[in-house]
Amino acid sequence: SALRIADWRLSRRVFSRAANLFVHFWLRLKARDCTSGFRCFRREALANLKLETLKSSGYFFQVEVLAYCLRFGYTFEEIPIVFTERKGGETKLGFYEVWEAICGVLMLGFLMMRRRYLREGNKQ
């Protein structure tokens, strides 16, 4: 597995799993962990990705980069990582970041469906 979690509370594990299920279902991305972790792309994949066209600024950025790279036919490797629950401080994941990620995934899914529909419509 690309992701292993050490010492996470049950609520954090459930939240992470739910986020991944949502992204897998809605965007149909083929990755073990769509929402976090390390990924290795070829240099040309990232060079050809027009960063100025990306809409995200927070946690959704990883999902958006992954979706576009896969859409354009690039492959990637997931690098195993172990997340450990922090000992001090608070999470940076607040309501706004969760809302941005949910809206971003929904909008990206609609955009991908629309493009697929238009592409298939032109074949007929």
Side-chain angles (χ1 to χ4, degrees), residues 55 57-59 92-103:
K55 305 292 185 231
S57 61
Y59 289 96
K92 295 176 271 182
L93 186 62
F95 176 79
Y96 176 79
E97 289 80 15
V98 171
W99 183 248
E100 178 194 35
I102 290 170
C103 291

Side-chain angles (χ1 to χ4, degrees), residues 25-41:
F25 171 76
W26 191 247
L27 299 179
R28 309 234 190 283
L29 298 181
K30 293 185 183 351
R32 288 182 190 265
D33 186 356
C34 295
T35 61
S36 63
F38 291 117
R39 294 188 190 99
C40 184
F41 295 94

